[in-house]
Amino acid sequence: MKEKTTPFNRPYMTGKELHYIAQAHFNGQLAGDGPFTKRCHAWLERQTGSAKALLTHSCTAALEMAALLLDLEPGDEVIMPSYTFVSTANAFVLRGAKPVFIDIRPDTLNIDESLIEAALTPRTRAIVPVHYAGVACEMDTIMRIAQRHGLMVIEDAAQGVMSTYKGRALGSIGHLGAYSFHETKNVISGEGGALLVNNAEFSIRAETIREKGTDRSRFFRGEVDKYTWQEVGSSFLPGELVAGFLWAQLEEAERITRERLDIWERYHQAFASLERDGTLRRPIVPADCGHNAHMYYVLLASSLDRQNVIAELKQRGIWTVFHYVPLHNSPAGLRYCRAEGDLPETCLAGERLLRLPLWVGLSPQEQARVIETIAEVLTKRA
Ligand SMILES: *Cc1c(COP(=O)(O)O)cnc(C)c1O
């Protein structure tokens, strides 16, 4: 008998996307910063409390803008985890800076804030906390360290849309924050992202960098009488069709988050007993963190072979995935970056972590089958 296949991810559409795209089409304004982009900016600013939100093509683009805003010079150092997506480091390497990797905390798998000060050198310019799985890093401590040493903080909040730390939106706490609306995230536009500019000092320059290094935005506001090339920038803004799609998603962001949290909770309760018997470890969410159920992962016991588990689940119609291959061991990481020690917790997560299907529309029945099959596969092997 052929069993039903449960994909790892299925992009969720609210149903309004094509309607808003048609409206943008009808408006006849397809370039960026039209009515839908403005609505998205206003929503993001209201939702996060950030002084300024700017849509970008991706979180990668937002991180690249942040790196440009810092005026980094070759050899400047930026502290970040190795257990993250490529773009966290790549954005800074593009400016000639050197990512310095430190280990993650064993509980949240976020940057271990207690290791930051030991990694500082006279060249250190910034810290990049990555809010893994939409669970906040220990931001109070990180901001205190940054203030003490005159460093900038750029939050990679790619996974953190609708998450909070002590009631504050992720991405709005550091000097700059970056969101992703990639189709694998919670709120999507295919490819897409946003830069949150939390310090007024960056406000004008962020607009300039996003508009090919020109003061075009100021020209359209009537603040200057012509627009010219002001500094190094690029084209970081999405067109209105993408913004229209995103608007349909932002309108439903609260419901999307609630539905994901329900699925997350069902996994969490179902796997409590497997955690008790040592088969796996469940995610840990500190009390200060309001998370967005971006991800449900488990850390498999060392007795389990992850590749076999993935293969066997796939055979039974359930798609699970792993990540990250730690950046400090990657070919580009070895060439452009430095690691502080051998990062044992990073390596452990890189070897043991398994991500489970989590998407809006995954029914309780289908999820029950996923849970049951995973329990069978894992306990058979334990
Ligand atoms: C998804 C992701 C990114 C990149 O986002 P894009 O929008 O695809 O550029 C960066 N950092 C982290 C931690 C991510 O999860």
Side-chain angles (χ1 to χ4, degrees):
M1 190 187 76
K2 177 110 177 59
E3 284 184 275
K4 192 168 170 317
T5 297
T6 303
F8 168 68
N9 182 45
R10 181 176 287 162
Y12 172 69
M13 319 277 174
T14 68
K16 288 278 208 65
E17 287 83 357
L18 288 177
H19 174 70
Y20 291 139
I21 287 173
Q23 218 170 301
H25 179 267
F26 179 78
N27 288 344
Q29 179 176 354
L30 299 179
D33 285 341
F36 282 109
T37 303
K38 292 198 170 85
R39 270 192 226 176
C40 292
H41 286 171
W43 188 95
L44 285 165
E45 286 161 9
R46 204 174 53 241
Q47 181 69 29
T48 64
S50 172
K52 190 184 205 62
L54 293 168
L55 292 193
T56 57
H57 291 302
S58 60
C59 179
T60 301
L63 290 166
E64 289 175 16
M65 283 183 66
L68 277 163
L69 281 166
L70 296 196
D71 282 327
L72 295 171
E73 289 178 16
D76 282 349
E77 295 182 351
V78 181
I79 294 176
M80 64 180 68
S82 165
Y83 191 70
T84 182
F85 187 65
V86 174
S87 300
T88 318
N90 193 73
F92 297 94
V93 172
L94 273 171
R95 307 261 60 80
K98 184 189 273 286
V100 174
F101 297 125
I102 63 174
D103 211 356
I104 51 175
R105 292 163 49 133
D107 56 354
T108 55
L109 312 185
N110 280 330
I111 191 168
D112 186 339
E113 68 280 359
S114 72
L115 303 175
I116 293 173
E117 282 187 302
L120 299 179
T121 75
R123 297 304 305 266
T124 309
R125 296 286 314 282
I127 306 168
V128 186
V130 178
H131 303 297
Y132 183 67
V135 175
C137 298
E138 184 34 49
M139 289 307 292
D140 278 352
T141 308
I142 291 169
M143 295 309 290
R144 249 193 324 269
I145 292 169
Q147 196 168 27
R148 193 148 61 223
H149 300 279
L151 307 173
M152 302 305 286
V153 174
I154 295 137
E155 296 178 71
D156 181 339
Q159 304 174 10
V161 177
M162 303 298 281
S163 288
T164 56
Y165 170 78
K166 298 186 179 175
R168 299 166 72 188
L170 300 193
S172 75
I173 303 164
H175 302 88
L176 297 158
Y179 277 168
S180 174
F181 304 119
H182 186 265
E183 79 164 30
T184 53
K185 303 302 202 285
N186 290 19
V187 173
I188 63 175
S189 60
E191 304 280 349
L195 179 71
L196 299 185
V197 185
N198 307 319
N199 271 47
E201 57 171 308
F202 287 130
S203 175
I204 295 291
R205 285 190 60 223
E207 282 181 347
T208 304
I209 285 170
R210 179 166 164 274
E211 283 267 32
K212 301 88 180 167
T214 71
D215 51 358
R216 188 167 180 273
S217 296
R218 300 187 70 200
F219 174 70
F220 279 114
R221 285 199 298 265
E223 294 167 16
V224 291
D225 61 6
K226 58 183 182 304
Y227 80 84
T228 56
W229 188 22
Q230 300 286 324
E231 65 170 303
V232 174
S234 190
S235 178
F236 288 113
L237 69 164
E240 278 287 284
L241 298 182
V242 167
F245 190 108
L246 181 62
W247 177 244
Q249 295 262 324
L250 293 179
E251 277 189 325
E252 298 288 333
E254 290 207 4
R255 181 172 62 79
I256 289 170
T257 308
R258 263 199 319 275
E259 293 188 19
R260 294 184 72 99
L261 281 165
D262 286 345
I263 298 168
W264 195 99
E265 272 306 325
R266 285 201 287 270
Y267 276 135
H268 207 58
Q269 285 174 19
F271 293 135
S273 61
L274 287 180
E275 183 173 75
R276 274 194 300 275
D277 72 20
T279 304
L280 53 77
R281 204 213 83 191
R282 297 180 300 163
I284 294 169
V285 181
D288 288 334
C289 305
H291 77 107
N292 61 357
H294 171 59
M295 196 189 297
Y296 199 88
Y297 67 81
V298 295
L299 288 162
L300 299 176
S302 55
S303 54
L304 292 161
D305 182 319
R306 184 173 64 181
Q307 272 322 108
N308 284 345
V309 169
I310 291 173
E312 192 150 334
L313 287 171
K314 184 172 150 192
Q315 215 164 33
R316 301 181 63 170
I318 294 164
W319 292 79
T320 56
V321 301
F322 68 90
H323 73 179
Y324 295 105
V325 178
L327 297 183
H328 71 285
N329 287 329
S330 67
L334 291 167
R335 203 169 325 135
Y336 299 116
C337 312
R338 184 179 85 231
E340 289 280 308
D342 6 319
L343 318 184
E345 298 297 338
T346 299
C347 296
L348 212 79
E351 288 160 15
R352 305 264 172 81
L353 187 132
L354 184 69
R355 300 177 62 187
L356 310 186
L358 200 175
W359 33 271
V360 174
L362 179 65
S363 70
Q365 295 78 5
E366 190 170 359
Q367 192 184 3
R369 186 183 76 92
V370 172
I371 288 167
E372 197 180 310
T373 310
I374 289 172
E376 271 171 31
V377 167
L378 295 189
T379 48
K380 190 181 72 174
R381 293 173 168 278

